[in-house]
Amino acid sequence: MPVVYIIIGIVAGAGAGIWAATSVMRNNLLAKSQQVLQDAEEKGEVIKKEKELQAKEKFLQLKTDYDKHANEQNAKLREVEQKLKQREQVLSQKVEELQKKSSELKSVSENLNHRIEELNRRQSEVEKIYKESIDKLEHIANMTADEAKQHLMEMMTDEARAEAASSILDIVEEAKITANEQAKKIVIQSIQRTATEHAVENTVSVFNLENEEVKGRIIGREGRNIRTLESLTGVEIIVDDSPDAIIISGFDPVRREIARLSLHKLVTDGRIHPARIEEVVAKTRRQIEQEIAEVGKRTCIDLGIQNMNHELMRMIGRMKYRSSYGQNLLQHSREVANLAATMAAELGLNPKLARRAGLLHDIGKVPETDPEMPHAIFGMKMAEKYKENPDVCNAIGAHHEEIEMTNLISPIIQVCDAISGARPGARREVVEAYIQRLKKLEDMSLSYPGVVKAYAIQAGRELRVIVGADKISDAQANQLSYDLSRQIQNEMTYPGQIKVTVIRETRSINYAK
């Protein structure tokens, strides 16, 4: 029994020890958990306070921005209200003064009362707008500062754009009126300062003789001298009953000048026969070419134009012997150059460049060959070929609006060209149409194979075609004459009839040494 009690005592003691140990461990864990909870609560409280502080700072910042914006709006509205009150006071004073007048002004007083009522109504509207603005500002308080700023900027931008657009329209209208007046003034001044004489081209030249005996020597035996001269120069020499004069007819001024100078040399020398005529005509043609080069050079010097290509100067010289609607082409180009320089100087542009473009603007009308393109485009390509300024090239090509204008010199050249051609008596449409018809006759003849030369004479009533004897036979010459007459009849319009003469000549030349 005692052993049993001892064992029970031991077991009870062990259980009590285990319970005591378990209680201690439980108490320790409970203390630790409470400490963790306490720390977490403290940290949470700190974080909560920080967030509350941040929220309060953000709220205060937004409230400050809003108060600032609201104060500005209130200040503006108070200013408007103050102005309205001042205006109301002024109007009230006027009403009081008017009420003191006689009964004859009663209608005026009523009208003023009506205006006062209207003003009061507008004041009510302003107050209403003021309240609405306050409501909107209170609503804006819920927006971020950037959104409120952006909204205000958009409102101010729209208002500024409207005012700017109105100002721009006024400025543009005023500029148009001023520009038109200034343009008219510049054009009139340019025309007055560059007024020139007009040279209208004719299609005949008169060669004066000392006596009637010279006519027979010019005609020669069986007319061989005059035929040789006509075939070499391409003109028609008319020997009629006109006293001491011979008429040289031809649409090409160069041919007429060559024939006139050749006749002068032949008559002065006294030796008139086919061989001498050929020699003199050849020398005269070379002389004309030299004169053309000299005229081009002298023209550039007169106008103060430097560094001009020699080929372009030669083409300028050829203008002396060309016409545009009866107006001498060189005289026309010089006038356009002077007009353009004057206008460019008035507009603050480069007058030298404008003068250069004005002189070259019709350079495409004097090619030795007939290009299949408008003269303005051909002239532009020629200028580009000889390295002219791009602005000059554009002015040449655009003066008939066949290409787009890219600089201010181009419209000046177009205007000056129109001014020069529009002067009273400067141009004659009939002469130009006549010359075009004669030139077309010659070009049509030269399009046939074997044709060496072609001359339209007798005012276009006769066409002489010279063919190579080694290229065309007599039978082919007859056929050529027939084909050419049919083509002229089908493709051209002309008065009367045109005689087509095909000349096939064989020459045998030997020299005795």
Side-chain angles (χ1 to χ4, degrees):
M1 290 298 290
V3 176
V4 173
Y5 289 129
I6 291 170
I7 292 170
I8 291 170
I10 292 170
V11 172
I18 291 171
W19 179 83
T22 302
S23 297
V24 172
M25 289 178 65
R26 183 182 297 112
N27 292 332
N28 290 335
L29 288 174
L30 183 59
K32 286 182 180 180
S33 64
Q34 289 177 351
Q35 184 65 34
V36 170
L37 288 173
Q38 184 178 358
D39 293 340
E41 287 178 355
E42 291 178 355
K43 288 183 180 180
E45 189 67 24
V46 171
I47 292 172
K48 180 180 178 181
K49 289 181 179 180
E50 288 179 354
K51 294 299 181 180
E52 287 178 351
L53 287 173
Q54 291 178 358
K56 287 180 180 180
E57 289 177 356
K58 186 67 174 178
F59 173 75
L60 290 174
Q61 182 181 356
L62 291 174
K63 188 174 183 302
T64 302
D65 293 341
Y66 166 73
D67 291 342
K68 181 180 178 181
H69 185 68
N71 290 333
E72 291 177 355
Q73 294 296 324
N74 290 335
K76 291 181 180 179
L77 291 172
R78 282 195 297 270
E79 184 179 354
V80 172
E81 185 178 4
Q82 184 65 27
K83 289 181 179 179
L84 290 174
K85 287 181 179 179
Q86 292 176 357
R87 188 176 297 177
E88 183 181 1
Q89 291 175 359
V90 172
L91 290 174
S92 297
Q93 292 175 359
K94 289 182 179 180
V95 170
E96 290 176 359
E97 292 176 358
L98 289 172
Q99 287 176 348
K100 293 178 182 179
K101 292 184 179 181
S102 64
S103 59
E104 294 178 358
L105 300 176
K106 185 177 179 180
S107 59
V108 177
S109 177
E110 292 177 355
N111 189 18
L112 287 175
N113 290 330
H114 177 70
R115 291 184 180 180
I116 292 171
E117 291 176 359
E118 180 67 20
L119 184 59
N120 292 332
R121 186 181 64 81
R122 291 184 180 180
Q123 184 176 359
S124 300
E125 291 179 356
V126 170
E127 292 176 354
K128 182 180 179 182
I129 293 172
Y130 172 75
K131 291 180 180 179
E132 291 177 354
S133 300
I134 296 297
D135 294 338
K136 288 181 180 180
L137 289 173
E138 291 175 354
H139 180 69
I140 290 173
N142 295 326
M143 299 171 60
T144 64
D146 293 337
E147 290 175 349
K149 182 178 179 181
Q150 183 66 26
H151 180 69
L152 180 61
M153 288 177 63
E154 289 177 358
M155 291 176 61
M156 296 178 66
T157 301
D158 292 340
E159 183 178 356
R161 284 178 179 172
E163 293 179 358
S166 178
S167 299
I168 289 171
L169 288 176
D170 295 339
I171 293 170
V172 169
E173 290 299 325
E174 183 179 356
K176 286 181 179 179
I177 296 172
T178 306
N180 288 333
E181 294 176 354
Q182 190 66 18
K184 291 177 182 178
K185 180 180 177 182
I186 291 173
V187 170
I188 291 171
Q189 288 180 349
S190 302
I191 292 174
Q192 290 174 344
R193 290 168 59 183
T194 57
T196 58
E197 296 181 357
H198 300 292
V200 178
E201 294 289 336
N202 296 315
T203 56
V204 296
S205 299
V206 178
F207 181 74
N208 295 315
L209 303 173
E210 294 181 358
N211 54 66
E212 291 290 322
E213 295 179 1
V214 181
K215 286 185 179 180
R217 296 173 58 191
I218 292 174
I219 295 173
R221 182 180 299 175
E222 299 178 355
R224 62 178 185 173
N225 290 347
I226 196 170
R227 285 200 305 272
T228 302
L229 190 59
E230 287 179 343
S231 64
L232 290 174
T233 58
V235 300
E236 180 186 7
I237 299 176
I238 303 172
V239 182
D240 54 14
D241 296 335
S242 301
D244 299 332
I246 291 177
I247 297 174
I248 303 172
S249 177
F251 72 92
D252 191 333
V254 177
R255 295 179 191 173
R256 292 204 311 273
E257 185 66 10
I258 292 174
R260 189 186 68 80
L261 292 176
S262 299
L263 270 175
H264 178 72
K265 292 179 181 179
L266 290 169
V267 171
T268 303
D269 182 61
R271 294 177 295 167
I272 305 177
H273 54 81
R276 177 63 178 166
I277 290 172
E278 290 183 2
E279 179 184 353
V280 170
V281 169
K283 289 182 179 179
T284 304
R285 187 171 280 111
R286 289 195 296 271
Q287 179 184 344
I288 290 294
E289 288 296 325
Q290 293 176 358
E291 183 179 351
I292 285 172
E294 183 63 27
V295 168
K297 182 178 179 181
R298 187 167 60 251
T299 301
C300 291
I301 292 174
D302 291 344
L303 294 176
I305 296 175
Q306 301 175 352
N307 301 323
M308 179 73 73
N309 183 275
H310 291 291
E311 183 62 24
L312 287 180
M313 280 197 290
R314 193 177 71 83
M315 296 179 74
I316 292 170
R318 289 179 66 85
M319 289 183 183
K320 179 181 177 182
Y321 302 100
R322 289 290 183 271
S323 62
S324 177
Y325 296 97
Q327 184 182 21
N328 182 269
L329 193 58
L330 180 59
Q331 187 69 22
H332 166 66
S333 297
R334 289 174 66 106
E335 185 177 6
V336 171
N338 289 325
L339 280 168
T342 304
M343 287 191 183
E346 292 290 338
L347 295 171
L349 302 176
N350 188 342
K352 292 184 178 180
L353 200 65
R355 185 180 285 111
R356 194 180 192 98
L359 180 62
L360 295 175
H361 82 283
D362 271 345
I363 201 75
K365 289 186 177 181
V366 290
E368 296 181 354
T369 59
D370 189 19
E372 295 181 356
M373 64 179 70
H375 75 273
I377 302 299
F378 182 75
M380 180 185 69
K381 292 185 179 297
M382 291 293 295
E384 290 174 346
K385 177 181 177 182
Y386 296 112
K387 305 295 186 296
E388 280 294 323
N389 188 289
D391 290 347
V392 173
C393 296
N394 181 258
I396 295 171
H399 78 277
H400 286 313
E401 298 184 352
E402 286 161 333
I403 63 171
E404 184 180 358
M405 298 181 182
T406 60
N407 60 83
L408 293 176
I409 299 294
S410 298
I412 291 177
I413 299 303
Q414 184 185 39
V415 170
C416 294
D417 179 49
I419 291 172
S420 177
R423 289 183 186 271
R427 293 189 171 184
R428 206 164 57 189
E429 296 283 347
V430 176
V431 173
E432 184 67 15
Y434 164 73
I435 290 174
Q436 291 294 333
R437 178 163 60 86
L438 299 188
K439 193 173 186 305
K440 186 176 181 181
L441 280 173
E442 293 186 356
D443 293 341
M444 191 180 294
S445 305
L446 292 171
S447 65
Y448 284 85
V451 176
V452 179
K453 296 178 182 178
Y455 301 120
I457 60 176
Q458 293 187 4
R461 293 188 297 272
E462 181 177 354
L463 178 63
R464 290 187 180 177
V465 182
I466 301 174
V467 299
D470 56 337
K471 297 178 181 179
I472 292 183
S473 63
D474 289 340
Q476 291 173 331
N478 290 331
Q479 185 63 36
L480 174 61
S481 176
Y482 176 79
D483 293 342
L484 192 54
S485 64
R486 294 299 97 187
Q487 184 180 2
I488 293 171
Q489 183 175 335
N490 293 332
E491 297 182 8
M492 294 185 63
T493 302
Y494 50 88
Q497 61 183 11
I498 297 177
K499 179 182 178 181
V500 180
T501 304
V502 177
I503 301 173
R504 179 178 180 270
E505 184 180 16
T506 302
R507 293 190 183 186
S508 298
I509 301 174
N510 290 291
Y511 296 93
K513 299 180 180 179

